Amino acid sequence: MTEPGTLIRDVRVFDGRAVVAADSVRVANGLITEVGEGLGPGPDEQVVEGAGATLLPGLIDAHTHVFPGSPEQALLFGVTTELDMVAGPSVARALRAEASHRDDMADLRTAAAPDTGSTP
């Protein structure tokens, strides 16, 4: 089933390297489908007025210590992926499974085993 799309307009667009010459971003089914200038809304498309805002790619936090509830908090700050350094396998497995079917929490990757700081 196709969901109605979203048009974010009158916004600055940062692509990870620079602000690009665009002021509109179209999203459909969770994916960016078009970036351009002066895009008009399609039928049944939700319009988000972005005046004064800047869109940027999701952030990756490459050193986290996750616990239940922290992936939801991370997403509130623009972190879409967390790389966990210390969660036990059962906690990491449960959070990864949960993140795989939710869009209100950051995705999770794990180092698999905590670094104890000792050398063999």
Side-chain angles (χ1 to χ4, degrees), residues 3 6 8 22 28 37 47 54 70 88 101 103 106 113:
E3 297 177 12
T6 301
I8 305 167
E37 291 187 54
V47 176
T54 302
S70 65
H101 66 273
D103 63 2

Side-chain angles (χ1 to χ4, degrees), residues 33-82:
T33 58
E34 188 175 8
V35 177
E37 291 187 54
L39 301 178
D44 299 321
E45 197 167 49
Q46 176 185 2
V47 176
V48 175
E49 297 296 342
T54 302
L55 289 179
L56 61 145
L59 304 173
I60 298 172
D61 189 338
H63 187 122
T64 65
H65 301 272
V66 298
F67 52 87
S70 65
E72 292 89 343
Q73 185 178 28
L75 191 59
L76 293 175
F77 292 98
V79 174
T80 57
T81 304
E82 290 188 285

Side-chain angles (χ1 to χ4, degrees), residues 12 21 27 31 36 40-41 47 50-51 61 63 83 89 94 99 106-108 111 114 116-117 119:
R12 289 176 33 148
V27 179
L31 298 174
V47 176
D61 189 338
H63 187 122
L83 178 55
D107 191 19
L108 177 66
T116 61
T119 54

